[in-house]
Amino acid sequence: MSDEFVKGFGVLTTAGLFWFIVSAWFNTESFGGTQLIAPNPDDVGLYADVLIAIKDVAFWFAILGALTFWVVIPAARESRRAYEERRQNAE
């Protein structure tokens, strides 16, 4: 179980750090204003548009990746274990 936690934490921190850095570059209007969640800038060029698209993917990868390792995989293993125990007890 600890290896799933570490994998989920690694996904969360790596993708979250990438999202944080790109959001700080493109979505911080001013120090006193909206930071990290301001609207995306318009007409910044092809490379910046690609980076902004990857930023959105990294955000969802961080959330869904961590939930996969912390909830989905352990729940699937536990349900498989319970199913095997139930099947052995039925025989």
Side-chain angles (χ1 to χ4, degrees):
M1 291 299 259
S2 64
D3 58 334
E4 274 85 15
F5 176 77
V6 171
K7 290 175 189 175
F9 189 68
V11 166
L12 181 68
T13 55
T14 305
L17 181 63
F18 180 80
W19 176 85
F20 187 78
I21 289 170
V22 175
S23 292
W25 283 341
F26 291 111
N27 300 99
T28 299
E29 294 174 343
S30 67
F31 181 74
T34 305
Q35 296 181 2
L36 302 177
I37 57 170
N40 290 329
D42 296 330
D43 195 29
V44 289
L46 176 66
Y47 292 123
D49 284 337
V50 170
L51 194 59
I52 288 171
I54 293 172
K55 174 192 73 144
D56 294 335
V57 170
F59 173 78
W60 288 109
F61 179 69
I63 301 299
L64 296 176
L67 286 176
T68 298
F69 281 109
W70 292 344
V71 177
V72 175
I73 292 174
R77 286 185 179 170
E78 197 64 33
S79 64
R80 187 179 332 135
R81 189 176 300 131
Y83 176 74
E84 290 295 327
E85 287 178 9
R86 183 183 295 171
R87 198 175 82 188
Q88 287 177 357
N89 290 338
E91 292 175 355

